[in-house]
Amino acid sequence: MAVHSAKHLIIGGGIIGCSIAYHLAKSGEKDVVLLEKASLTEGATWHAAGLVGQLRSSRNTTRMLKRSVAMYDQLEAETGMAFDWKKVGSLRLAATKERMLEAKRLTTMARSFDLEMEMISPDEAKALFPYIDATGLEGAAFIPSDGHVDPASLCQAIASGARMHGAKILQGVKVTDFEIVDDRITKVMTTEGDYEAETVILAAGMWSRELAAKLGVIVPACAVEHQYIVTEPLPDPELVKGLPTLRDPERLVYYKPDAGGRLVIGGYEDDTQPFGDKGIPGEFIRQLLPDNLDRFAPLAEMAGQVTPVVNEVGIRQVINGPIPYSADGDFVMGWAPNLKNLMLSTGFLYGIAAGGGAGEMIAEWILDGSPSLDLWPLDVRRFSPHHATKAFMYPRAVEHYAHHYKMRYPGQEAETARNLRLSPLHQRLQQRGAIFGSKNGWERPLWFAPDGVDPVDQLAFINPGWKQYAAQEHQAVREGVVLIDQSSFSKFEMIGAGALPALQRIAVSNMDKPVGAVIYTQLCNEKGGIEADVTITRTARDRFYIVTGSGFGVHDSDWIRRALPTDGSVHLIDVTSARAVVNICGPKARDVLQSVSEQDVSNDAFPFGTAQQIVVGAATVLAARIGYVGELGWELHIPTEFARHVYDTLKQAGEAHGIRDIGYRAIESLRLEKGYLYWSADITPDYTPIEAGLGFRVHLKTKSDFVGRAVLEHQKANGTDTHLCTFVCDNQLPTTGGETIAKDGKTVSVATSAGFGYTVGKTIIFGYLPSQLSEERDFELEVFGERHKITRVDGPQYDPQNTRLKA
């Protein structure tokens, strides 16, 4: 067979693949080829319900979905193809007081994301959707720019646009295998011959996991069954035509007006069935699954409560089709780790709403090296290998599906696929009342229940019960001594003659420091955006120890590996499982540590920002005098098998000092007081170290060129348009981040992090301001629809001179 070539080869002809082809071709890229094994839309696109909603919990995901709407607004004029785009708005009912709080929270969040959303009364909701029974409703929220569309026609219109711009779309061509040389896909084998391509984009929906497996790539995307019904025509077809889409999360159902005066009604029930867990049967082209009305019955009953008219009209059709899903219910996008030219774009639960914007982001990712929006919540590198196993992915997907509309309080944890990665201290902490959360498979203590308190997480929107216990743990750090199990840190060793040059090239700080130096630094992209926020210890001339967050290990190591030389002069080794970490901190930490260590840990012998090998009890550990809580303390990196011994030794020695365990919820309030930043919230690829107030970590004078230097040098000399600022309020507000920051009634920012500082007695908020506002003092924070006065302040609220840290 002939060998074909393409610059960009897209696998999959659903809405996502067609949108990527459209945006690449529209950007001027030549030789864009899309392969579809059957006909366009015949996987999951054709039977999608077709709702186009924009609001998501992530600011940039919402922005991406807004780009979908902007694309759909102009696509018919561009292509001449109609796709029944109805921008009728979306209505979200609040049937209980808790749902009203949730709706107010979402409305506040929408405003901070620059998306118009308003709270309306039950009567106003009924005026918009006359079929609802408004009795007992608390209210509703309305987004006027949402709508609905015919999915198959939309996909065909996008494909037509792609062809207009020069993309080639081939149907009836099935990918069978791949060839890889030096971490690159060099050949894609198909039923119509082999293809060579610079970039391969996998947008094959529920087939993506099986295709990726041929490449040795782990894709945590799957499919589950989703049912909806189409009713017979309602009494007034003209009225139906103009209805908005409707969601009633309390009753777990959604509605979309359909042709002929009918309604589409679907929902998210418990115990949906996984699909493809034993392999996708046959070709599965334009197929549906047998309907399961027994499983749909509870949803139908609840729909009858929301809109009693559906009890009087018959069911015309039941649609049961597999829909893409992922291990955490969100999309799987970005460069596949370990391969240099495979771009992933799969796992799209709401692919119709996302299609336009996702295609644009993937095109930018390929052409510019990164998308114009930081898409960390969707990045494939948020996953680890265990996320893609059947034992994890399917139970978690089914759980996320069931909770799609169920009430989710801030901090709520998944219940399935737990207890996978356990610290050596897990049993000890469990015995001491730990309430665990899960991060990247690790069980980590969130807070500790005192004697007499059930070790169950206490969640709520306004005043969750756990806060009083986290406040006590916070106080213990500030006044006494505590132990924190931080074994879940992602940890790497970089070894080899090329290690120092490689780090000098990717880090903004001068890494040529003495052995034993602990360096907090950022790794930036060419635009100066922060790709990683890490702590690096120089342990020998050609050896460095890199520590990052539990959930960032795959991302950060992939970023580093892509920048390493290929001459074998440097190696990056994951040592996460080899070292447990116990952080001992608080003003009495030295007293406890010194009593069980053979080395001198005085300030003179062991200054802040350094690391040494010390003996604790009978174990030799790497002790780093650094931390995330703003007090005297050491991170003890311990060979895993010695972890219990070290913990027990410290615990016993600390009894006289009132030593106690603390969890991650207390760490959050401690770091907010100290002004410490969190990557993925306060700092992201959207912002530079200069904009984030980390300019002191950027060493322009003591090192030569590094990635992002030109941008950072310019910003240091000329200033920036944006600054990360700190705000405070004397009242304890129920904040979690994502709240709207306003000035004179106008939205000016979003809270990147927010919480209560128990030592300083203030609510603390971080948020970026445009430079023209960054000297102003008086602002407002919108929380659950209510405005509160906040004040911009300078610097950390606790120990700004670092006297406690360096004691």
Side-chain angles (χ1 to χ4, degrees):
M1 284 189 182
V3 175
H4 312 282
S5 68
K7 186 175 184 184
H8 305 293
L9 186 67
I10 302 161
I11 303 171
I15 189 169
I16 304 299
C18 290
S19 180
I20 294 167
Y22 169 88
H23 285 287
L24 282 170
K26 193 173 184 180
S27 298
E29 288 297 289
K30 307 300 181 192
D31 207 14
V32 176
V33 177
L34 183 150
L35 305 180
E36 163 55 45
K37 73 168 188 168
S39 299
L40 299 184
T41 81
E42 293 196 346
T45 298
W46 72 276
H47 63 75
L51 278 71
V52 178
Q54 299 164 89
L55 181 61
R56 296 296 181 267
S57 60
S58 150
R59 186 185 195 190
N60 281 353
T61 306
T62 301
R63 287 172 166 175
M64 185 177 90
L65 300 189
K66 285 177 67 178
R67 294 193 185 196
S68 290
V69 167
M71 176 183 169
Y72 303 163
D73 283 346
Q74 56 81 36
L75 188 63
E76 184 175 344
E78 180 185 349
T79 63
M81 293 182 68
F83 45 88
D84 204 27
W85 170 224
K86 297 284 196 302
K87 205 169 181 178
V88 288
S90 70
L91 195 57
R92 186 183 184 93
L93 303 183
T96 65
K97 285 183 165 51
E98 284 288 279
R99 287 292 183 184
M100 195 65 176
L101 279 174
E102 180 188 52
K104 286 180 177 178
R105 182 169 178 257
L106 290 171
T107 302
T108 289
M109 190 183 290
R111 250 181 230 130
S112 75
F113 296 171
D114 197 28
L115 177 68
E116 185 185 345
M117 183 175 182
E118 57 183 317
M119 295 299 303
I120 60 176
S121 69
D123 289 343
E124 290 171 312
K126 189 168 178 63
L128 285 167
F129 204 110
Y131 293 108
I132 65 171
D133 179 358
T135 308
L137 273 188
E138 294 290 326
F142 183 64
I143 299 178
S145 57
D146 283 350
H148 61 86
V149 69
D150 176 58
S153 300
L154 171 62
C155 188
Q156 294 289 356
I158 295 172
S160 174
R163 291 188 188 101
M164 285 170 55
H165 292 295
K168 193 174 180 181
I169 295 178
L170 302 175
Q171 301 177 73
V173 181
K174 183 178 180 180
V175 172
T176 57
D177 212 342
F178 303 88
E179 179 183 271
I180 302 172
V181 177
D182 293 334
D183 300 328
R184 291 185 71 85
I185 301 170
T186 52
K187 196 178 290 181
V188 179
M189 288 85 139
T190 81
T191 50
E192 298 297 322
D194 297 342
Y195 279 81
E196 296 172 348
E198 283 185 27
T199 307
V200 178
I201 301 114
L202 188 56
M206 57 186 145
W207 289 273
S208 295
R209 184 173 184 266
E210 295 186 350
L211 281 167
K214 294 176 182 291
L215 292 159
V217 171
I218 294 164
V219 175
C222 58
V224 298
E225 291 187 17
H226 178 67
Q227 294 188 107
Y228 62 83
I229 60 170
V230 183
T231 70
E232 294 290 357
L234 270 61
D236 187 348
E238 282 303 306
L239 175 62
V240 174
K241 195 183 289 184
L243 292 175
T245 61
L246 175 70
R247 294 167 181 83
D248 186 334
E250 187 64 27
R251 269 78 69 102
L252 308 177
V253 290
Y254 65 78
Y255 295 73
K256 185 195 90 166
D258 203 32
R262 295 181 282 267
L263 286 176
V264 167
I265 305 174
Y268 296 88
E269 74 279 16
D270 288 334
D271 302 321
T272 188
Q273 295 300 303
F275 177 78
D277 50 332
K278 297 176 177 63
I280 296 172
E283 292 299 310
F284 207 82
I285 296 167
R286 204 171 182 82
Q287 282 177 250
L288 291 172
L289 301 164
D291 60 55
N292 188 332
L293 279 174
D294 286 346
R295 207 173 73 234
F296 194 81
L299 295 177
E301 190 178 325
M302 286 189 276
Q305 297 169 20
V306 183
T307 50
V309 69
V310 304
N311 297 321
E312 299 161 22
V313 297
I315 295 175
R316 183 186 183 91
Q317 190 179 13
V318 180
I319 305 288
N320 184 15
I323 58 170
Y325 230 89
S326 76
D328 66 359
D330 228 326
F331 314 152
V332 181
M333 299 171 68
W335 294 111
N338 306 323
L339 281 179
K340 293 173 182 170
N341 64 336
L342 178 64
M343 174 62 70
L344 300 173
S345 193
T346 188
F348 283 84
L349 161 64
Y350 39 95
I352 307 305
E360 186 178 345
M361 292 296 99
I362 292 291
E364 289 180 357
W365 218 324
I366 291 167
L367 301 180
D368 302 334
S370 61
S372 56
L373 300 173
D374 164 44
L375 295 180
W376 167 246
L378 313 177
D379 193 313
V380 63
R381 294 170 296 180
R382 73 189 186 274
F383 293 117
S384 288
H386 69 269
H387 289 116
T389 61
K390 291 180 182 179
F392 183 99
M393 182 171 56
Y394 282 103
R396 192 60 70 87
V398 169
E399 181 186 11
H400 279 295
Y401 178 94
H403 281 83
H404 190 75
Y405 282 157
K406 285 184 181 176
M407 187 71 75
R408 287 200 78 81
Y409 293 103
Q412 194 162 333
E413 296 280 342
E415 295 174 10
T416 55
R418 294 291 297 268
N419 292 308
L420 300 178
R421 306 177 79 179
L422 302 182
S423 153
L425 308 179
H426 181 82
Q427 193 176 10
R428 292 280 195 275
L429 303 181
Q430 198 167 36
Q431 291 165 350
R432 298 182 190 280
I435 288 83
F436 291 98
S438 178
K439 190 77 167 182
N440 195 17
W442 285 96
E443 296 293 319
R444 312 191 310 177
L446 300 174
W447 56 281
F448 287 81
D451 289 342
V453 175
D454 287 339
V456 177
D457 209 2
Q458 301 177 12
L459 301 171
F461 280 123
I462 300 299
N463 189 25
W466 60 262
K467 283 196 171 181
Q468 59 180 311
Y469 306 114
Q472 294 166 11
E473 294 175 15
H474 178 116
Q475 184 181 6
V477 175
R478 294 283 182 246
E479 297 177 2
V481 56
V482 304
L483 298 176
I484 315 173
D485 180 12
Q486 295 185 302
S487 300
S488 63
F489 276 155
S490 296
K491 304 169 281 279
F492 301 87
E493 288 213 273
M494 186 183 280
I495 302 170
L500 178 60
L503 285 176
Q504 289 286 57
R505 172 73 185 146
I506 61 175
V508 301
S509 308
N510 181 15
M511 306 307 296
D512 194 6
K513 298 291 185 181
V515 171
V518 181
I519 306 151
Y520 167 56
T521 191
Q522 290 74 46
L523 315 183
C524 293
N525 56 36
E526 293 288 358
K527 300 172 187 173
I530 301 170
E531 292 285 349
D533 183 64
V534 297
T535 300
I536 302 177
T537 301
R538 191 171 194 177
T539 53
R541 188 171 67 87
D542 292 338
R543 196 175 191 124
F544 294 84
Y545 182 57
I546 303 171
V547 180
T548 188
S550 309
F552 308 142
V554 173
H555 173 277
D556 291 4
S557 61
D558 181 65
W559 180 262
I560 293 168
R561 282 194 177 98
R562 288 178 185 274
L564 293 181
T566 56
D567 60 4
S569 65
V570 56
H571 301 277
L572 187 70
I573 304 162
D574 188 338
V575 295
T576 300
S577 300
R579 308 247 176 99
V581 180
V582 174
N583 186 348
I584 179 168
C585 52
K588 299 177 183 176
R590 181 178 283 117
D591 296 337
V592 176
L593 184 60
Q594 188 62 80
S595 70
V596 293
S597 175
E598 296 183 8
Q599 283 70 35
D600 182 359
V601 296
S602 67
N603 209 22
D604 290 340
F606 203 146
F608 178 75
T610 64
Q612 299 177 25
Q613 296 280 350
I614 68 170
V615 172
V616 177
T620 300
V621 306
L622 177 67
R625 196 169 157 201
I626 197 160
Y628 199 47
V629 298
E631 292 292 341
L632 170 69
W634 287 262
E635 283 179 10
L636 305 178
H637 293 253
I638 312 161
T640 303
E641 66 272 24
F642 284 103
R644 279 196 189 187
H645 166 70
V646 170
Y647 172 84
D648 291 344
T649 300
L650 292 169
K651 195 77 173 173
Q652 188 175 355
E655 291 297 345
H657 300 274
I659 198 167
R660 64 181 292 174
D661 300 287
I662 75 156
Y664 275 77
R665 297 248 174 92
I667 294 175
E668 179 67 5
S669 61
L670 291 157
R671 69 100 181 170
L672 284 168
E673 285 189 338
K674 192 69 178 95
Y676 288 159
L677 307 182
Y678 184 63
W679 190 85
S680 78
D682 311 308
I683 47 178
T684 74
D686 286 346
Y687 300 105
T688 72
I690 313 297
E691 292 169 330
L694 296 170
F696 65 99
R697 302 311 310 150
V698 180
H699 300 158
L700 297 174
K701 294 178 181 174
T702 55
K703 61 182 295 191
S704 56
D705 196 24
F706 57 88
V707 179
R709 180 180 177 119
V711 173
L712 300 179
E713 202 165 13
H714 181 269
Q715 288 186 346
K716 268 203 170 182
N718 301 290
T720 64
D721 296 332
T722 306
H723 301 273
L724 182 62
C725 297
T726 303
F727 309 83
V728 297
C729 176
D730 288 340
N731 299 325
Q732 185 169 353
L733 304 179
T735 55
T736 53
E739 294 81 12
T740 297
I741 299 172
K743 175 73 175 171
D744 300 328
K746 293 181 181 176
T747 298
V748 295
S749 189
V750 56
T752 59
S753 291
F756 193 70
Y758 298 101
T759 305
V760 300
K762 298 177 189 294
T763 297
I764 301 166
I765 305 108
F766 297 157
Y768 286 88
L769 286 178
S771 55
Q772 62 268 29
L773 291 178
S774 60
E775 295 301 315
E776 297 283 332
R777 289 280 168 186
D778 298 325
F779 293 84
E780 292 178 309
L781 188 73
E782 185 177 316
V783 185
F784 292 106
E786 296 179 3
R787 294 282 175 101
H788 302 267
K789 290 184 178 180
I790 59 173
T791 305
R792 187 192 62 77
V793 294
D794 297 319
Q797 294 306 286
Y798 180 77
D799 189 27
Q801 303 303 318
N802 288 333
T803 51
R804 308 266 298 185
L805 201 61
K806 298 180 178 180

